[in-house]
Every structure is written in structure tokens, then in C-alpha cells.
Amino acid sequence: MNEEISSLRDMIGGAPTVADLPSPDLWSRIAVAHAQRVRRRRNVRIAGAALVSVFGICALLMLSSWHGLTQDATASVDWQARAQALELQLDGLPMPYLSQSPSAMRTVSEISRIDSSLQAAYDGGASRDSILPLWKRRSQLLSALLAERLQQPVMTDI
């Protein structure tokens, strides 16, 4: 056994000196380095989770705004102005030669009923959201009436 120790000493260059021995604070430095690595990994995980959360929130906001845009597409149309423009077009047309058809009479009657509902809504101080469907329906009816009037023959003076 002494031969093994002596050959080991020969290999490393003699007996170990104080300079060859590890410093006494080696284990405390190893513990500090390990704690720093653990803390760094935890911070990276937290930052990754925060980044994923931010991207998720952004995606949800984009989806909700896109969904809101598709729902508000009908709200972006000014139905009242459209209905007024259609009335002007109807007033500008010459009177049809034939008397109005039964479907045109029903449309005019429904427009009159919607006008009464609109007046009652405005008198009652209704919100814009409750009035908007009435203007939309009135605009649709005026558009249908205009299309029918354009198809009817016009009386001309010969």
C-alpha cells in the first residue's frame, strides 16, 4: 500500500501542499452557485409563463374585438340615414301607371306601423339599441318598396 501511495505522489509531483488543497469555503461557494442556478431556472420559468399569459390575453382581446366588429357590422350602418335616402329616391320616382299591388300596400302599412313604433320609442326616451332595429326594418321595407316601384310601368303622356 505504501508503494501505491508513493507512486501516486510521484505522479502528482510529490506530497500535496496547502496550495493543492481546496479552499475551506469551497462547499459554501458550491451551495451559493447551486442556489443561483435554481433561482435563475425559476425566474426563466416565471418569465416564460408571464410571456405565454401576455400572448394569451392579446389573443383573447384580438378575438373579442374581431367578434365585436362582426356583431357591430349592422350597428355601423346608419339605418336612419339610409331610410331617409330611400324615401328621397321613392319621392323622386314618377307615380306608377297601375295601382299599387297588394304586397306594396302591405309594405306601406307596415312602414306606417313602424313609424308609430318609432314615435312611441322616441316619446318614451328609448335607448339607441332599442330604436336601431326599427330603423333597420323600416329601411329594409323602403328598399323593397323602391325595388317594386322600379319594376312597375310608368304612365307617360303621349
Side-chain angles (χ1 to χ4, degrees):
M1 178 146 193
N2 279 340
E3 290 175 13
E4 291 176 8
I5 293 176
S6 65
S7 66
L8 182 62
R9 283 184 187 156
D10 290 338
M11 282 177 41
I12 58 172
T17 62
V18 175
D20 294 335
L21 294 175
S23 66
D25 65 337
L26 177 66
W27 286 112
S28 62
R29 290 185 312 191
I30 291 173
V32 167
H34 178 69
Q36 287 175 343
R37 274 195 304 268
V38 168
R39 198 171 26 255
R40 200 174 307 124
R41 284 185 197 138
R42 184 177 5 149
N43 289 342
V44 166
R45 279 190 224 122
I46 290 171
L51 190 62
V52 168
S53 298
V54 166
F55 281 129
I57 289 170
C58 288
L60 285 174
L61 288 173
M62 287 173 52
L63 282 174
S64 67
S65 69
W66 177 76
H67 184 67
L69 287 176
T70 57
Q71 282 185 340
D72 291 340
T74 58
S76 66
V77 175
D78 188 356
W79 293 107
Q80 182 177 2
R82 186 172 186 271
Q84 290 168 349
L86 288 170
E87 279 185 274
L88 290 174
Q89 286 180 351
L90 276 169
D91 289 342
L93 288 177
M95 290 304 291
Y97 176 66
L98 300 175
S99 64
Q100 289 189 339
S101 68
S103 64
M105 296 301 285
R106 282 192 301 273
T107 303
V108 169
S109 174
E110 191 171 350
I111 289 172
S112 176
R113 192 173 43 81
I114 288 176
D115 287 343
S116 298
S117 298
L118 278 168
Q119 186 60 50
Y122 281 120
D123 289 344
S127 68
R128 181 179 180 269
D129 292 336
S130 63
I131 293 173
L132 186 65
L134 293 171
W135 279 112
K136 182 178 178 182
R137 181 65 183 146
R138 188 174 194 280
S139 177
Q140 292 168 341
L141 291 169
L142 286 169
S143 180
L145 188 61
L146 179 65
E148 188 172 333
R149 287 263 313 265
L150 288 172
Q151 292 176 356
Q152 292 179 351
V154 178
M155 180 172 36
T156 59
D157 294 331
I158 298 182

